[in-house]
């Protein structure tokens, strides 16, 4: 085992690690030897190492009958017998070889991420670093994730940051072995994905006239606005590029199309989707907004058309339909909504929402997909195939898991990265409120005590949420996300045994130097 000072500062901490023997040293004649399944991994590794080392490492694809066995090599191997599932891997470092073995290429990819973190932090530089010995400590690591769902949610509706920001975040997610990018693409304040059949969604819904300034308060009659038009959207070509880029890093992109609430941008584009017939603007202020979709057949068809285009773009098994914070006022006051409740023989507005979610669940299931929504879709009865995200606390997740539904634990108390990182809020950029410091993220346990071992497998995992009402720039995204995402990654990947906050901080300090070289605008530990 490692002497303490010797532990490489890996984040997330691997499941098992032992030190033995001498270091491996990367040299210009080191070959990357890979089987056919790891062709992309080999190219990824070569490109990762090229700029700072100045080495253009040869790739040798096996089996090649006459391929000479290189003296020094990094070997990338697929072996169906390797333990650890699709994402697990084994990494062996001796003076002659670095060998990464996994049951699937995704596991090898994670082994490469570990190798990257074992190399000197200068490996993150994008220009040549001379006079440095590229050593990897001799060791063996056996690693596999604790949870299959290790996510990061980014709200692109409140502020739009564009493709380059997303690609960079995907790289940083991969470095931390996260595997679900939850892309919140529509909300009251903006519709951010091109839908060919309904161009006004982005022409109109993609832009708001201005944005409220400062902390939004429901009771403030005349808040200040910035007078600046804000908007933008991802074209379908950009979406395909993001999805492919993520897939190349083991990341599934989960699209979220909000319904039946958080819908004002869409209703501004197509007023017939609403309940009042009124021509609305795209929302310019935050909070929970009364303008929700109606539940008429034409609206259900519209949303299913949107989902059809979304499913063409996103191969993700799960499709997120939002479902949170749906005020029922307009349904209560609308003659059409009341008629619909009568026609369908429903009890009340909660049952109407449940009916709506059931329709979407059946629609997605009919196309081989699975619906996921925020926990409010429990209200009025959960659709049979639905998976929920438990955000207001743990209760929704507990209820759903005990009823046999899958859940992703996303409670505000531990996973909301729009909350403050310090109690000295006057020293922090304006945030929505709350208090989720690094340690709170780190100590989070995604399987609540109330879920017995029989049902624990329904907890698929956890993810961080970054809502962006108060996060206008990419630098600010990074400030809110790091280092808390390092802690979340460890919660989702590493075994509970060995969880230790001071130990995590010891690894985090050098890891932050790595992030600094990557240009990440993380929040410093001591401010
Ligand atoms: C949420 O924070 N409204 C899911």
């Amino acid at each position: 085992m490692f002497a303490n000072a010797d532990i490489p500062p890996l984040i997330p901490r691997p499941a098992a690690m032992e030190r033995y023997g001498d270091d491996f040293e990367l040299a210009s004649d080191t070959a990357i030897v890979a089987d056919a399944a790891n062709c992309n991994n080999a190219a990824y590794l070569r490109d990762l190492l090229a700029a700072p080392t100045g080495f253009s490492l040869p790739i040798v694809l096996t089996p090649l009958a006459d391929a000479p066995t290189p003296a020094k090599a990094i070997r990338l191997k697929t072996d169906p017998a390797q333990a650890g599932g699709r994402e697990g891997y084994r990494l062996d470092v001796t003076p002659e070889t670095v060998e990464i073995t996994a049951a699937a290429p995704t596991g090898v990819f994670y082994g490469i991420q570990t190798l990257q973190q074992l190399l000197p932090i200068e490996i993150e530089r994008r220009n040549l670093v001379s006079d440095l010995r590229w050593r990897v400590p001799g060791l063996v690591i056996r690693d596999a994730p604790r949870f299959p769902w290790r996510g990061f949610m980014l709200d692109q509706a409140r502020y739009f940051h564009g493709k380059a920001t997303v690609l960079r975040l995907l790289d940083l997610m991969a470095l931390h072995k996260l595997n679900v990018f939850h892309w919140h693409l529509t909300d009251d304040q903006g519709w951010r994905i091109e839908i060919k059949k309904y161009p006004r969604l982005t022409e109109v819904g993609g832009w708001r006239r201005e944005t409220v300034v400062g902390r939004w308060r429901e009771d403030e009659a005349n808040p200040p606005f910035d007078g600046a038009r804000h908007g933008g959207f991802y074209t379908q070509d950009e979406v395909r590029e993001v999805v492919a880029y993520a897939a190349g890093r083991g990341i599934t992109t989960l699209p979220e199309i909000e319904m039946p609430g958080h819908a004002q941008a869409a209703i501004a584009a197509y007023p017939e989707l609403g309940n009042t017939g009124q021509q609305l603007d795209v929302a310019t202020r935050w909070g929970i907004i009364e303008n929700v979709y109606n539940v008429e057949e034409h609206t259900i068809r519209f949303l299913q058309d949107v989902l059809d285009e979304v499913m063409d773009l996103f191969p993700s098994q799960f499709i997120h339909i939002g479902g949170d914070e749906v005020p029922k006022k307009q349904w209560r006051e609308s003659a059409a909504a009341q008629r619909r409740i009568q026609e369908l023989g429903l009890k009340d507005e909660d049952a109407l929402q449940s009916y709506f979610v059931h329709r979407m669940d059946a629609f997605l299931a009919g196309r081989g997909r699975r619906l996921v929504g925020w926990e409010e879709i429990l209200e009025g009865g959960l659709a049979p195939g639905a998976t929920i995200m438990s955000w207001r606390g743990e209760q929704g997740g507990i209820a759903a898991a005990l009823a046999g539904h899958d859940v992703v634990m996303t409670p505000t108390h531990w996973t909301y990265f729009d909350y403050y990182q310090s109690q000295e809020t006057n020293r922090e950029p304006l945030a929505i409120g709350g208090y989720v410091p690094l340690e709170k993220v780190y100590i989070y346990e995604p399987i609540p005590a109330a879920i017995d071992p029989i049902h624990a497998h329904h907890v698929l995992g956890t993810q961080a949420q970054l809502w962006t009402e108060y996060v206008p720039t990419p630098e600010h995204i990074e400030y809110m996300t790091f280092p808390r995402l390092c802690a979340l990654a460890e919660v989702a990947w590493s075994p509970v045994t060995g969880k230790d906050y001071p130990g995590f901080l010891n690894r985090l300090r050098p890891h932050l130097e790595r992030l600094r070289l990557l240009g990440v605008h993380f929040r410093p530990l001591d401010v």
Side-chain angles (χ1 to χ4, degrees):
M1 287 300 284
F2 286 90
N4 228 6
D6 234 12
I7 293 182
L10 296 172
I11 292 181
R13 180 172 52 83
M17 176 162 66
E18 260 179 87
R19 175 119 205 196
Y20 64 70
D22 293 332
D23 296 351
F24 175 89
E25 188 172 333
L26 196 67
S28 59
D29 61 350
T30 303
I32 301 175
V33 180
D35 57 25
N38 284 299
C39 185
N40 289 341
N41 278 329
Y44 175 93
L45 177 61
R46 180 198 53 203
D47 295 349
L48 180 79
L49 304 175
T53 63
F55 305 153
S56 177
L57 301 185
I59 294 176
V60 180
L61 286 182
T62 56
L64 279 182
D66 54 353
T69 310
K72 283 186 80 159
I74 302 175
R75 297 178 186 278
L76 310 180
K77 280 176 30 184
T78 320
D79 175 0
Q82 178 61 42
R86 212 181 57 79
E87 298 187 309
Y89 65 92
R90 180 187 162 111
L91 173 70
D92 285 276
V93 181
T94 67
E96 293 76 37
T97 61
V98 171
E99 190 164 281
I100 301 173
T101 313
T106 307
V108 172
F109 179 79
Y110 287 135
I112 292 172
Q113 299 305 312
T114 299
L115 174 60
Q116 180 177 349
Q117 290 196 23
L118 289 170
L119 281 159
I121 61 171
E122 288 78 8
I123 203 70
E124 313 301 348
R125 290 200 188 276
R126 290 297 112 220
N127 49 12
L128 183 65
V129 182
S130 29
D131 302 327
L132 193 85
R133 300 181 68 178
W134 301 101
R135 286 182 158 166
V136 184
L139 46 64
V140 57
I141 286 174
R142 283 181 217 85
D143 202 9
R146 180 175 173 208
F147 290 105
W149 187 302
R150 307 178 302 279
F152 174 63
M153 188 217 77
L154 180 66
D155 170 9
Q156 282 298 272
R158 275 49 179 269
Y159 277 99
F160 174 74
H161 302 87
K163 187 185 75 179
T165 299
V166 168
L167 297 183
R168 176 171 164 83
L169 287 166
L170 290 169
D171 281 334
L172 293 169
M173 284 179 66
L175 181 66
H176 295 88
K177 302 187 174 81
L178 296 169
N179 68 349
V180 179
F181 173 54
H182 172 171
W183 208 0
H184 184 80
L185 286 164
T186 73
D187 216 300
D188 299 303
Q189 297 82 8
W191 183 284
R192 306 282 178 235
I193 176 170
E194 179 188 22
I195 299 296
K196 303 275 191 201
K197 189 159 184 184
Y198 301 108
R200 287 174 60 82
L201 284 172
T202 43
E203 285 166 13
V204 175
W207 302 89
R208 64 175 177 260
R209 191 176 62 247
E210 58 185 355
T211 304
V212 67
V213 173
R215 169 74 54 61
W216 162 254
R217 287 182 33 215
E218 202 76 46
D219 58 355
E220 195 174 356
N222 290 302
F225 286 85
D226 66 4
R229 184 170 139 91
H230 177 81
F233 61 92
Y234 297 97
T235 65
Q236 293 203 349
D237 282 344
E238 287 180 315
V239 168
R240 275 186 279 269
E241 188 182 337
V242 165
V243 168
Y245 192 87
R249 285 152 183 74
I251 298 169
T252 299
T253 305
L254 169 72
E256 180 182 353
I257 306 295
E258 272 269 19
M259 60 187 85
H262 289 285
Q264 186 165 323
I267 300 169
Y270 296 100
E272 63 272 27
L273 301 172
N275 294 284
T276 66
Q278 207 189 336
Q279 175 60 63
L280 301 169
D281 289 333
V282 175
T284 57
R285 54 136 183 121
W286 318 124
I288 300 175
I289 293 179
E290 285 169 5
N291 297 303
V292 302
Y293 290 120
N294 63 48
V295 187
E296 299 301 317
E297 278 307 312
H298 69 85
T299 299
I300 290 178
R301 203 166 322 118
F302 160 86
L303 288 166
Q304 294 181 343
D305 288 344
V306 168
L307 291 178
D308 268 332
E309 289 195 32
V310 165
M311 284 185 280
D312 282 346
L313 293 166
F314 294 88
S316 164
Q317 184 192 15
F318 286 98
I319 302 290
H320 201 304
I321 56 105
D324 60 318
E325 299 177 327
V326 187
K328 305 292 175 349
K329 180 168 183 287
Q330 291 190 342
W331 289 353
R332 275 197 299 275
E333 293 174 356
S334 147
Q338 291 304 314
R339 196 166 54 241
R340 197 81 165 118
I341 288 173
Q342 293 256 305
E343 259 169 37
L344 295 165
L346 299 172
K347 181 161 143 272
D348 57 13
E349 293 77 22
D350 278 352
L352 186 61
Q353 177 173 344
S354 175
Y355 166 82
F356 171 87
V357 176
H358 275 70
R359 288 285 300 272
M360 294 303 161
D361 184 54
F363 176 77
L364 293 173
R367 283 156 176 74
R369 306 298 182 103
R370 294 178 63 187
L371 177 147
V372 54
W374 300 108
E375 64 178 88
E376 289 94 322
I377 66 172
L378 284 161
E379 291 161 12
L382 191 54
T387 294
I388 71 144
M389 289 191 170
S390 187
W391 70 276
R392 292 177 297 191
E394 297 180 292
Q395 281 314 314
I398 293 167
L402 294 181
H405 288 267
D406 285 344
V407 302
V408 180
M409 297 304 289
T410 60
T412 54
H413 269 65
W414 296 277
T415 71
Y416 265 42
F417 286 11
D418 54 334
Y419 285 17
Y420 280 107
Q421 306 185 62
S422 159
Q423 277 174 314
E424 289 180 73
T425 54
N426 58 337
R427 299 178 62 182
E428 294 291 321
L430 181 70
I432 199 161
Y435 177 47
V436 177
L438 180 65
E439 182 168 5
K440 215 161 159 189
V441 179
Y442 184 80
I443 63 172
Y444 178 53
E445 168 46 50
I447 301 183
I451 298 183
D452 58 83
I454 303 288
H455 292 94
H457 70 277
H458 285 302
V459 178
L460 301 181
T462 185
Q463 64 178 34
Q465 278 53 242
L466 186 60
W467 302 102
T468 57
E469 286 95 331
Y470 298 94
V471 188
T473 67
E475 292 75 21
H476 197 164
I477 288 180
E478 293 182 359
Y479 183 91
M480 299 307 277
T481 304
F482 296 98
R484 289 187 290 190
L485 199 63
C486 307
L488 192 283
E490 190 139 326
V491 170
W493 178 283
S494 305
V496 183
T497 317
K499 190 160 172 157
D500 162 33
Y501 188 62
F504 169 70
L505 285 181
N506 284 340
R507 284 178 286 116
L508 184 61
R509 287 178 204 284
H511 184 74
L512 288 179
E513 292 311 308
R514 183 176 296 276
L515 295 187
R516 194 188 306 283
L517 284 188
L518 285 165
V520 179
H521 294 83
F522 59 86
R523 181 185 183 278
L525 288 181
D526 313 298
V527 287

